[in-house]
Amino acid sequence: REMIVVMIVGLTIALVTSLLVYLVILSAKNRQLMAQGQRLRHSEQFRARQSRLLEDVERLSRTGGWQLDLKSRQLTWSQGTYRILEATPDFDPTFAGALGFFVPEHRQRLSDAVTAGRVNGTPWDMELTVVTPKGTTKEVRIVGEAVLEEGVPVLLRGSFQDITERKLFEEALRTARKDAEKANLAKSQFL
């Protein structure tokens, strides 16, 4: 009988000890998960702030971004690019579809630049004209570069900027300069 009681007490102590160890381990894991959750929430908040900042900067500077995965042929636009092109959020950009925004005389230039970037990683910076689905004609600047892996282009990405106002200002300056030159010539002839 004494031996049975000793064994029952011993098993009870072992069971209680195991349970306490299990609770300590569970508590430590719970603290780790809570800390990890906290870091994840901070990371998500940071990402959301960065995303808002990027969207605001794109809106203020009239720029957007784009990326073309050369393996999957997947074209991705930032919100700024959608805004510049006046495309609806449900528009799924493809290279051929994006090329359709450009006036016919500029499509080949852009296509050649993309091909050079895709084949040998050649960067480009060009000013072209687009017509949006709403019929608005805009002047845009497109800068592109290749992302290389082991010397081979795998991704093209770049910026897209609405430069319509700048082009209108430049044209107004040219007109003003010509008018001033004409006035100066008329004054000289008069004198």
Side-chain angles (χ1 to χ4, degrees), residues 67 73-77 82 87-99 101:
Q67 178 172 288
R73 301 282 191 215
Q74 178 68 42
L75 179 60
T76 306
W77 288 350
Y82 277 94
T88 59
D90 62 334
F91 179 77
D92 187 22
T94 62
F95 180 68
L99 211 52
F101 282 92

Side-chain angles (χ1 to χ4, degrees), residues 139 163-177:
E139 299 297 320
I163 58 169
T164 305
E165 286 184 15
R166 188 191 88 200
K167 288 293 200 175
L168 290 172
F169 181 73
E170 288 173 356
E171 183 58 35
L173 279 177
R174 276 192 292 277
T175 301
R177 184 176 297 128

Side-chain angles (χ1 to χ4, degrees), residues 29-169:
K29 287 287 187 186
N30 192 28
R31 281 192 303 273
Q32 285 177 346
L33 287 174
M34 289 177 66
Q36 190 176 29
Q38 183 80 8
R39 284 192 303 273
L40 182 59
R41 278 190 296 281
H42 286 297
S43 178
E44 288 172 356
Q45 290 169 350
F46 177 76
R47 189 195 58 75
R49 283 192 310 271
Q50 292 296 95
S51 181
R52 281 193 304 273
L53 174 62
L54 178 60
E55 287 178 20
D56 288 345
V57 167
E58 283 186 338
R59 180 179 47 78
L60 292 169
S61 64
R62 293 186 178 106
T63 59
W66 59 269
Q67 178 172 288
L68 177 62
D69 185 314
L70 297 176
K71 293 176 185 173
S72 68
R73 301 282 191 215
Q74 178 68 42
L75 179 60
T76 306
W77 288 350
S78 71
Q79 290 297 330
T81 302
Y82 277 94
R83 188 175 20 263
I84 292 167
L85 291 174
E86 298 177 344
T88 59
D90 62 334
F91 179 77
D92 187 22
T94 62
F95 180 68
L99 211 52
F101 282 92
F102 293 87
V103 294
E105 57 271 19
H106 289 171
R107 291 177 189 162
Q108 191 61 49
R109 282 183 57 206
L110 180 58
S111 185
D112 291 345
V114 169
T115 299
R118 183 178 50 81
V119 172
N120 49 19
T122 305
W124 68 90
D125 184 343
M126 57 181 56
E127 296 179 357
L128 304 172
T129 306
V130 296
V131 178
T132 71
K134 294 180 179 180
T136 308
T137 300
K138 294 183 178 185
E139 299 297 320
V140 295
R141 178 179 178 208
I142 302 174
V143 178
E145 67 179 9
V147 175
L148 307 174
E149 282 184 10
E150 299 177 12
V152 178
V154 294
L155 191 71
L156 298 178
R157 66 176 159 205
S159 65
F160 198 81
Q161 183 179 23
D162 181 352
I163 58 169
T164 305
E165 286 184 15
R166 188 191 88 200
K167 288 293 200 175
L168 290 172
F169 181 73

